[in-house]
Amino acid sequence: MRTLLITAIASTFCCAGLATDFYIAPSGNDANPGARQRPWRSIERANRQSFHAGDRLLFEGGKTFTGTLALAEDDSGATDRPVVITSYGNGRANVDGGSGKAVTVTGARWLELRNLKLTGAGRKTGNHDSGLVISGGSDIKVDDVDVSGFQRSGIAIDGVDRLRLTHAYTHENGFAGISAGGRTSHDLYIGYSLAENNPGDPTVRSNHSGNGIVIGQVRRGMIEYSEARYNGWDMPWTGNGPVGIWAYESDRVTIQYCVAHDNRSTATDGGGFDFDGGMTNSVLQYNYSHGNFGTGYLICQYDGAGLFADNVVRYNISQDDGLLAHNAGIYVWVGGSGMKSTLVHNNTIFNTKGSAVAFGVSPKYASELPKMTFYNNIFVSRMAQIVGGAEKGQFVGNIYFAMGERGFEVDGYKDFAKWARATGQEMVDGVVVGKFVDPGLRKDGSALISSPADLPKLHEYKLLPDSPAIGAGVDLRKQFNIDPGPYDLFGNPTGRDVGAAESSAKMAGRRPR
């Protein structure tokens, strides 16, 4: 009896640790046990199953399954044994949410979704929801998903801790390709993803829609190696928005090594990147924006937003942004109180259509101008280099240049040296430190790249060997006690060159992956 008891106990512990694979195929039957040779048939049957650590739910590749897969807290895995939802066989399975959601994850932990296609009935042709909705829970990974045809967001995130989203292709959705908002999320990572052709939500008529990637209410977040393009062209709202890649009401967010181009708007934005109301301690760096209807880099505080302070915009490039709105590569809008500071340094703005920098201030907040500092940037423009009042910022160590015959133009001044001495701009200890001169950009590269993987090939904005930008910048550490960061856009160690690229004569360090 003692031997039998020990055997029974050992068997119990062994079986408790076993994981199970459950299969779904159109040829299956919901009365089956879900084994590969005897699969289930429907999502409805899967929703009745509680999944445990190490379990996998596998949809037959190349097939379509109708309904909403609902995963809850009782479908949680463990630290090293997540619950996995994926495809098997040939191709990627399609979960068709029809008029509703395709997959919901509510309160689950240690869960992975990968290699799936999620479709809805179309933002204007029947769907009224988001595709993948992740609400609450923690330690979730989403990889290699294709999400389209949803009126709201392709992927919507709300109050999740430690979420890693990679290789997502979100397209033909309404509100956004990827969005986070609502309850606070912590440690959110979005990487290697493409948000394309998310035109706008036809039901949202009092706010923006048609964003690429937008995150709000995030504490510690990263968006990198991602692309947003051709979004926002069918937004019904006539006010602000949308933007390609941006964040609002968040803290310690980094957006880097991303490309945003050809984004659109039916209203007053449609830009590339944006730090919007309530952002703190966040960094926009190593990005490339081009051909957007709105500005390349929007720095904005809206009425009612939380504190906006200690943000940095550095080592970015804007080419021909602001085609219809803002008409500038960088646009600053003060539309609410609580906007304290932003540091803008070592960016290269090249605008054959409009200006390099523009300011806008709501009359209600004209007396609450923030500390806006612009150091060691290159500003090349067809129109005036700065519009809307350069006195709204502090400019030191920048290089300005005008295309065509227009020449230097800031606040009515036509002479750079006279402007500097009359206003105190570009002056340090009584010496003019900025320049109005051709910055000597290489102009021999491909330009207009779209893939973040091609950022190292962006030769046009590197400096020629005899560029006057080499060594011409102010020493940010010594002069202002500012840490410029370790690298420029191309992975070269930072120094005192002006613009987004340190001299190519320097040894390269870390390069974009």
Side-chain angles (χ1 to χ4, degrees):
M1 283 293 293
R2 183 177 179 181
T3 302
L4 290 174
L5 179 60
I6 292 172
T7 302
I9 293 172
S11 178
T12 299
F13 279 105
C14 175
C15 292
L18 292 177
T20 304
D21 286 349
F22 298 94
Y23 293 83
I24 304 180
S27 61
N29 189 307
D30 286 349
N32 287 341
R36 181 157 190 166
Q37 301 306 318
R38 299 182 64 195
W40 296 330
R41 180 179 178 84
S42 71
I43 288 176
E44 181 184 4
R45 174 61 185 88
N47 287 339
R48 299 200 300 268
Q49 179 72 35
S50 291
F51 300 101
H52 305 294
D55 287 353
R56 296 194 303 168
L57 176 63
L58 301 108
F59 291 85
E60 185 177 2
K63 307 298 183 182
T64 296
F65 302 85
T66 302
T68 301
L69 177 66
L71 302 162
E73 188 173 358
D74 62 352
D75 297 310
S76 296
T79 304
D80 56 347
R81 303 178 68 206
V83 170
V84 176
I85 316 297
T86 188
S87 303
Y88 77 95
N90 297 320
R92 178 184 288 164
N94 176 30
V95 178
D96 185 354
S99 62
K101 305 174 183 68
V103 178
T104 63
V105 180
T106 308
R109 302 180 306 280
W110 300 107
L111 179 74
E112 294 186 11
L113 293 95
R114 57 177 183 254
N115 192 27
L116 292 170
K117 184 176 183 180
L118 311 180
T119 57
R123 67 186 181 96
K124 284 187 170 182
T125 52
N127 188 270
H128 55 75
D129 223 315
S130 295
L132 169 59
V133 179
I134 307 173
S135 179
S138 66
D139 302 289
I140 295 171
K141 293 182 180 179
V142 180
D143 181 64
D144 192 20
V145 294
D146 182 321
V147 190
S148 64
F150 296 92
Q151 189 177 86
R152 298 294 295 157
S153 296
I155 301 173
I157 301 159
D158 175 15
V160 183
D161 292 340
R162 296 179 299 280
L163 169 63
R164 183 176 178 85
L165 170 61
T166 52
H167 302 105
Y169 178 35
T170 54
H171 54 108
E172 298 170 79
N173 303 293
F175 176 75
I178 301 170
S179 68
R183 294 170 296 171
T184 301
S185 294
H186 298 85
D187 302 300
L188 171 62
Y189 179 89
I190 300 171
Y192 306 92
S193 295
L194 170 60
E196 175 182 30
N197 189 27
N198 299 284
D201 184 336
T203 68
V204 178
R205 299 184 176 275
S206 59
N207 207 341
H208 60 81
S209 65
N211 300 282
I213 303 172
V214 52
I215 63 173
Q217 305 299 338
V218 172
R219 303 295 177 264
R220 297 181 303 274
M222 172 81 76
I223 304 172
E224 66 176 1
Y225 302 104
S226 295
E227 179 186 355
R229 64 189 185 196
Y230 308 118
N231 300 291
W233 53 266
D234 193 29
M235 177 181 72
W237 168 236
T238 57
N240 61 303
V243 177
I245 301 176
W246 62 292
Y248 68 97
E249 294 286 3
S250 295
D251 180 64
R252 288 166 289 172
V253 168
T254 298
I255 301 175
Q256 64 179 11
Y257 298 118
C258 293
V259 179
H261 63 99
D262 298 291
N263 292 290
R264 301 293 184 251
S265 176
T266 57
T268 57
D269 280 313
F273 297 89
D274 174 18
F275 273 170
D276 220 292
M279 291 298 297
T280 53
N281 306 303
S282 296
V283 182
L284 260 171
Q285 62 183 6
Y286 314 138
N287 301 295
Y288 179 39
S289 178
H290 66 82
N292 295 289
F293 271 27
T295 187
Y297 301 90
L298 176 62
I299 303 167
C300 171
Q301 178 75 335
Y302 58 82
D303 198 8
L307 176 68
F308 190 109
D310 301 319
N311 301 307
V312 180
V313 179
R314 65 187 184 189
Y315 299 106
N316 303 288
I317 292 174
S318 166
Q319 177 174 322
D320 290 340
D321 288 310
L323 299 178
L324 292 182
H326 312 311
N327 300 117
I330 298 175
Y331 185 77
V332 180
W333 170 249
V334 184
S337 62
M339 193 175 193
K340 301 300 182 183
S341 61
T342 301
L343 168 62
V344 182
H345 74 85
N346 288 98
N347 301 282
T348 298
I349 310 300
F350 189 91
N351 197 334
T352 66
K353 311 296 183 182
S355 298
V357 180
F359 293 92
V361 179
S362 168
K364 182 179 179 181
Y365 299 103
S367 63
E368 301 183 33
L369 292 180
K371 182 181 180 182
M372 301 292 302
T373 51
F374 296 79
Y375 302 147
N376 296 350
N377 301 282
I378 291 176
F379 298 138
V380 179
S381 61
R382 175 73 60 182
M383 308 300 288
Q385 288 76 59
I386 306 171
V387 298
E391 78 282 353
K392 297 179 179 67
Q394 178 188 14
F395 293 82
V396 179
N398 303 286
I399 287 181
Y400 308 78
F401 191 63
M403 291 174 279
E405 300 177 357
R406 195 177 184 103
F408 177 80
E409 185 176 344
V410 174
D411 295 340
Y413 288 90
K414 303 292 187 180
D415 183 279
F416 172 77
K418 288 182 179 179
W419 169 67
R421 297 192 182 281
T423 63
Q425 299 281 19
E426 297 295 348
M427 301 281 289
V428 174
D429 297 329
V431 177
V432 178
V433 294
K435 296 181 180 182
F436 180 73
V437 64
D438 186 333
L441 302 176
R442 283 181 56 173
K443 291 298 178 186
D444 62 351
S446 57
L448 297 181
I449 63 168
S450 58
S451 171
D454 290 335
L455 280 171
K457 301 177 183 178
L458 193 63
H459 299 294
E460 281 210 342
Y461 293 101
K462 294 181 179 180
L463 303 176
L464 292 169
D466 60 349
S467 166
I470 296 175
V474 293
D475 189 328
L476 296 182
R477 292 184 186 275
K478 182 178 180 180
Q479 194 71 40
F480 302 108
N481 195 30
I482 291 171
D483 180 0
Y487 306 107
D488 73 351
L489 172 61
F490 299 97
N492 298 305
T494 55
R496 289 186 56 182
D497 293 353
V498 180
E502 289 287 337
S503 170
S504 59
K506 293 184 174 68
M507 294 297 294
R510 177 181 184 269
R511 290 193 174 276
R513 287 179 286 171

